[in-house]
Amino acid sequence: TMGEFASLLQRALLDRPVVDRTGLTGRYDFDLEWAPDETQFGGEIPAAAANAPSPPFFIAIEQQLGLRLEATKGPVESLVVDSAERPSAD
């Protein structure tokens, strides 16, 4: 689903939250080919050469899937841990 795809992008590829606002509810099976850069995968994968045969990620998403990732601002749920202690032996 697009929700699962957005979740995958957030967990594995991009450095910010990704929210599905497509309104698409079906399940999709697709292949996406792109040239990675240093902003993806936490910088763990080397950037593709400038002459790579595949397009950069954001262009590939639009050309191959007809989707567009758009940066916006909004509220994000988060969990804050103020402190942590070992449990007592009691």
Side-chain angles (χ1 to χ4, degrees), residues 28-51:
Y28 301 89
D29 182 18
F30 55 85
D31 292 319
L32 181 66
E33 293 185 22
W34 81 95
D37 66 35
E38 65 281 346
T39 67
Q40 300 160 3
F41 300 107
E44 297 292 323
I45 299 209
N51 62 349

mmCIF file of all heavy atoms in Angstrom, residues 28-51:
data_model
loop_
_atom_site.group_PDB
_atom_site.id
_atom_site.type_symbol
_atom_site.label_atom_id
_atom_site.label_comp_id
_atom_site.label_asym_id
_atom_site.label_seq_id
_atom_site.Cartn_x
_atom_site.Cartn_y
_atom_site.Cartn_z
ATOM 1 N N TYR A 28 -0.013 -2.179 -4.405
ATOM 2 C CA TYR A 28 0.739 -1.970 -5.639
ATOM 3 C C TYR A 28 2.029 -2.766 -5.606
ATOM 4 O O TYR A 28 2.629 -2.950 -4.555
ATOM 5 C CB TYR A 28 1.053 -0.478 -5.831
ATOM 6 C CG TYR A 28 -0.200 0.357 -5.893
ATOM 7 C CD1 TYR A 28 -0.766 0.887 -4.744
ATOM 8 C CD2 TYR A 28 -0.833 0.587 -7.099
ATOM 9 C CE1 TYR A 28 -1.927 1.631 -4.799
ATOM 10 C CE2 TYR A 28 -1.996 1.337 -7.167
ATOM 11 C CZ TYR A 28 -2.538 1.847 -6.011
ATOM 12 O OH TYR A 28 -3.700 2.579 -6.070
ATOM 13 N N ASP A 29 2.443 -3.223 -6.772
ATOM 14 C CA ASP A 29 3.704 -3.937 -6.930
ATOM 15 C C ASP A 29 4.474 -3.212 -8.026
ATOM 16 O O ASP A 29 4.013 -3.143 -9.165
ATOM 17 C CB ASP A 29 3.434 -5.387 -7.326
ATOM 18 C CG ASP A 29 4.708 -6.198 -7.469
ATOM 19 O OD1 ASP A 29 5.757 -5.766 -6.942
ATOM 20 O OD2 ASP A 29 4.659 -7.260 -8.102
ATOM 21 N N PHE A 30 5.616 -2.638 -7.681
ATOM 22 C CA PHE A 30 6.377 -1.872 -8.662
ATOM 23 C C PHE A 30 7.858 -1.973 -8.367
ATOM 24 O O PHE A 30 8.262 -2.331 -7.271
ATOM 25 C CB PHE A 30 5.946 -0.399 -8.690
ATOM 26 C CG PHE A 30 6.018 0.282 -7.352
ATOM 27 C CD1 PHE A 30 7.204 0.832 -6.897
ATOM 28 C CD2 PHE A 30 4.897 0.376 -6.546
ATOM 29 C CE1 PHE A 30 7.282 1.460 -5.668
ATOM 30 C CE2 PHE A 30 4.962 1.003 -5.310
ATOM 31 C CZ PHE A 30 6.152 1.545 -4.873
ATOM 32 N N ASP A 31 8.633 -1.684 -9.372
ATOM 33 C CA ASP A 31 10.087 -1.582 -9.243
ATOM 34 C C ASP A 31 10.455 -0.129 -9.461
ATOM 35 O O ASP A 31 9.908 0.516 -10.354
ATOM 36 C CB ASP A 31 10.793 -2.449 -10.290
ATOM 37 C CG ASP A 31 10.576 -3.932 -10.041
ATOM 38 O OD1 ASP A 31 10.627 -4.348 -8.872
ATOM 39 O OD2 ASP A 31 10.363 -4.667 -11.019
ATOM 40 N N LEU A 32 11.370 0.369 -8.660
ATOM 41 C CA LEU A 32 11.835 1.744 -8.783
ATOM 42 C C LEU A 32 13.351 1.706 -8.912
ATOM 43 O O LEU A 32 14.033 1.127 -8.078
ATOM 44 C CB LEU A 32 11.424 2.555 -7.546
ATOM 45 C CG LEU A 32 11.812 4.012 -7.520
ATOM 46 C CD1 LEU A 32 11.087 4.786 -8.614
ATOM 47 C CD2 LEU A 32 11.495 4.626 -6.159
ATOM 48 N N GLU A 33 13.853 2.299 -9.959
ATOM 49 C CA GLU A 33 15.301 2.343 -10.170
ATOM 50 C C GLU A 33 15.762 3.790 -10.066
ATOM 51 O O GLU A 33 15.244 4.652 -10.760
ATOM 52 C CB GLU A 33 15.643 1.777 -11.550
ATOM 53 C CG GLU A 33 15.339 0.301 -11.655
ATOM 54 C CD GLU A 33 15.782 -0.284 -12.974
ATOM 55 O OE1 GLU A 33 16.670 0.301 -13.631
ATOM 56 O OE2 GLU A 33 15.235 -1.332 -13.345
ATOM 57 N N TRP A 34 16.745 4.020 -9.183
ATOM 58 C CA TRP A 34 17.282 5.359 -9.001
ATOM 59 C C TRP A 34 18.736 5.282 -8.587
ATOM 60 O O TRP A 34 19.222 4.249 -8.166
ATOM 61 C CB TRP A 34 16.460 6.139 -7.971
ATOM 62 C CG TRP A 34 16.804 5.837 -6.549
ATOM 63 C CD1 TRP A 34 17.668 6.530 -5.753
ATOM 64 C CD2 TRP A 34 16.306 4.770 -5.732
ATOM 65 N NE1 TRP A 34 17.741 5.961 -4.505
ATOM 66 C CE2 TRP A 34 16.913 4.870 -4.462
ATOM 67 C CE3 TRP A 34 15.419 3.724 -5.949
ATOM 68 C CZ2 TRP A 34 16.648 3.990 -3.431
ATOM 69 C CZ3 TRP A 34 15.159 2.841 -4.912
ATOM 70 C CH2 TRP A 34 15.778 2.980 -3.680
ATOM 71 N N ALA A 35 19.406 6.416 -8.706
ATOM 72 C CA ALA A 35 20.810 6.533 -8.301
ATOM 73 C C ALA A 35 20.855 7.132 -6.898
ATOM 74 O O ALA A 35 20.406 8.258 -6.702
ATOM 75 C CB ALA A 35 21.565 7.420 -9.294
ATOM 76 N N PRO A 36 21.348 6.399 -5.912
ATOM 77 C CA PRO A 36 21.383 6.930 -4.546
ATOM 78 C C PRO A 36 22.373 8.082 -4.401
ATOM 79 O O PRO A 36 23.312 8.227 -5.178
ATOM 80 C CB PRO A 36 21.828 5.736 -3.706
ATOM 81 C CG PRO A 36 22.519 4.825 -4.645
ATOM 82 C CD PRO A 36 21.922 5.063 -5.999
ATOM 83 N N ASP A 37 22.115 8.906 -3.385
ATOM 84 C CA ASP A 37 23.061 9.977 -3.042
ATOM 85 C C ASP A 37 23.352 9.928 -1.548
ATOM 86 O O ASP A 37 22.815 9.080 -0.830
ATOM 87 C CB ASP A 37 22.558 11.346 -3.499
ATOM 88 C CG ASP A 37 21.314 11.808 -2.768
ATOM 89 O OD1 ASP A 37 21.166 11.526 -1.561
ATOM 90 O OD2 ASP A 37 20.469 12.472 -3.393
ATOM 91 N N GLU A 38 24.198 10.821 -1.073
ATOM 92 C CA GLU A 38 24.673 10.780 0.315
ATOM 93 C C GLU A 38 23.595 11.080 1.349
ATOM 94 O O GLU A 38 23.791 10.851 2.531
ATOM 95 C CB GLU A 38 25.864 11.729 0.500
ATOM 96 C CG GLU A 38 25.538 13.187 0.301
ATOM 97 C CD GLU A 38 25.452 13.620 -1.159
ATOM 98 O OE1 GLU A 38 25.890 12.875 -2.052
ATOM 99 O OE2 GLU A 38 24.916 14.703 -1.410
ATOM 100 N N THR A 39 22.428 11.570 0.936
ATOM 101 C CA THR A 39 21.364 11.885 1.893
ATOM 102 C C THR A 39 20.484 10.680 2.189
ATOM 103 O O THR A 39 19.613 10.760 3.040
ATOM 104 C CB THR A 39 20.466 13.025 1.370
ATOM 105 O OG1 THR A 39 19.746 12.565 0.216
ATOM 106 C CG2 THR A 39 21.263 14.264 1.048
ATOM 107 N N GLN A 40 20.698 9.574 1.518
ATOM 108 C CA GLN A 40 19.840 8.407 1.664
ATOM 109 C C GLN A 40 20.533 7.297 2.445
ATOM 110 O O GLN A 40 21.750 7.215 2.476
ATOM 111 C CB GLN A 40 19.422 7.908 0.272
ATOM 112 C CG GLN A 40 18.657 8.969 -0.489
ATOM 113 C CD GLN A 40 18.649 8.712 -1.980
ATOM 114 O OE1 GLN A 40 19.161 7.727 -2.476
ATOM 115 N NE2 GLN A 40 18.068 9.635 -2.712
ATOM 116 N N PHE A 41 19.729 6.461 3.050
ATOM 117 C CA PHE A 41 20.219 5.311 3.828
ATOM 118 C C PHE A 41 21.184 5.736 4.925
ATOM 119 O O PHE A 41 22.144 5.053 5.228
ATOM 120 C CB PHE A 41 20.892 4.275 2.924
ATOM 121 C CG PHE A 41 19.983 3.717 1.857
ATOM 122 C CD1 PHE A 41 20.143 4.082 0.532
ATOM 123 C CD2 PHE A 41 18.981 2.829 2.183
ATOM 124 C CE1 PHE A 41 19.313 3.569 -0.448
ATOM 125 C CE2 PHE A 41 18.137 2.314 1.213
ATOM 126 C CZ PHE A 41 18.308 2.683 -0.104
ATOM 127 N N GLY A 42 20.951 6.902 5.504
ATOM 128 C CA GLY A 42 21.798 7.384 6.587
ATOM 129 C C GLY A 42 23.234 7.622 6.173
ATOM 130 O O GLY A 42 24.130 7.607 6.993
ATOM 131 N N GLY A 43 23.470 7.812 4.876
ATOM 132 C CA GLY A 43 24.821 8.039 4.385
ATOM 133 C C GLY A 43 25.675 6.784 4.335
ATOM 134 O O GLY A 43 26.871 6.846 4.080
ATOM 135 N N GLU A 44 25.062 5.610 4.579
ATOM 136 C CA GLU A 44 25.797 4.342 4.622
ATOM 137 C C GLU A 44 26.137 3.801 3.238
ATOM 138 O O GLU A 44 27.025 2.973 3.103
ATOM 139 C CB GLU A 44 24.985 3.288 5.385
ATOM 140 C CG GLU A 44 24.748 3.638 6.837
ATOM 141 C CD GLU A 44 26.015 3.608 7.665
ATOM 142 O OE1 GLU A 44 26.877 2.737 7.419
ATOM 143 O OE2 GLU A 44 26.155 4.449 8.554
ATOM 144 N N ILE A 45 25.419 4.232 2.220
ATOM 145 C CA ILE A 45 25.653 3.738 0.861
ATOM 146 C C ILE A 45 26.320 4.850 0.068
ATOM 147 O O ILE A 45 25.870 5.989 0.102
ATOM 148 C CB ILE A 45 24.329 3.315 0.210
ATOM 149 C CG1 ILE A 45 23.722 2.205 1.034
ATOM 150 C CG2 ILE A 45 24.497 2.983 -1.252
ATOM 151 C CD1 ILE A 45 22.872 1.220 0.361
ATOM 152 N N PRO A 46 27.379 4.551 -0.642
ATOM 153 C CA PRO A 46 28.050 5.620 -1.402
ATOM 154 C C PRO A 46 27.144 6.192 -2.492
ATOM 155 O O PRO A 46 26.313 5.483 -3.061
ATOM 156 C CB PRO A 46 29.269 4.928 -2.012
ATOM 157 C CG PRO A 46 29.053 3.470 -1.842
ATOM 158 C CD PRO A 46 28.016 3.257 -0.796
ATOM 159 N N ALA A 47 27.317 7.457 -2.766
ATOM 160 C CA ALA A 47 26.542 8.121 -3.817
ATOM 161 C C ALA A 47 26.913 7.546 -5.173
ATOM 162 O O ALA A 47 28.043 7.134 -5.403
ATOM 163 C CB ALA A 47 26.808 9.619 -3.787
ATOM 164 N N ALA A 48 25.917 7.519 -6.058
ATOM 165 C CA ALA A 48 26.158 7.045 -7.421
ATOM 166 C C ALA A 48 27.009 8.068 -8.169
ATOM 167 O O ALA A 48 27.029 9.251 -7.829
ATOM 168 C CB ALA A 48 24.828 6.849 -8.139
ATOM 169 N N ALA A 49 27.679 7.600 -9.188
ATOM 170 C CA ALA A 49 28.483 8.493 -10.033
ATOM 171 C C ALA A 49 27.559 9.476 -10.754
ATOM 172 O O ALA A 49 26.380 9.197 -10.985
ATOM 173 C CB ALA A 49 29.267 7.670 -11.049
ATOM 174 N N ALA A 50 28.088 10.627 -11.100
ATOM 175 C CA ALA A 50 27.302 11.656 -11.775
ATOM 176 C C ALA A 50 26.721 11.164 -13.091
ATOM 177 O O ALA A 50 25.666 11.620 -13.520
ATOM 178 C CB ALA A 50 28.155 12.893 -12.000
ATOM 179 N N ASN A 51 27.374 10.203 -13.726
ATOM 180 C CA ASN A 51 26.889 9.689 -15.006
ATOM 181 C C ASN A 51 26.120 8.369 -14.849
ATOM 182 O O ASN A 51 26.033 7.579 -15.791
ATOM 183 C CB ASN A 51 28.056 9.513 -15.984
ATOM 184 C CG ASN A 51 29.079 8.512 -15.480
ATOM 185 O OD1 ASN A 51 29.038 8.087 -14.323
ATOM 186 N ND2 ASN A 51 30.003 8.138 -16.344
#
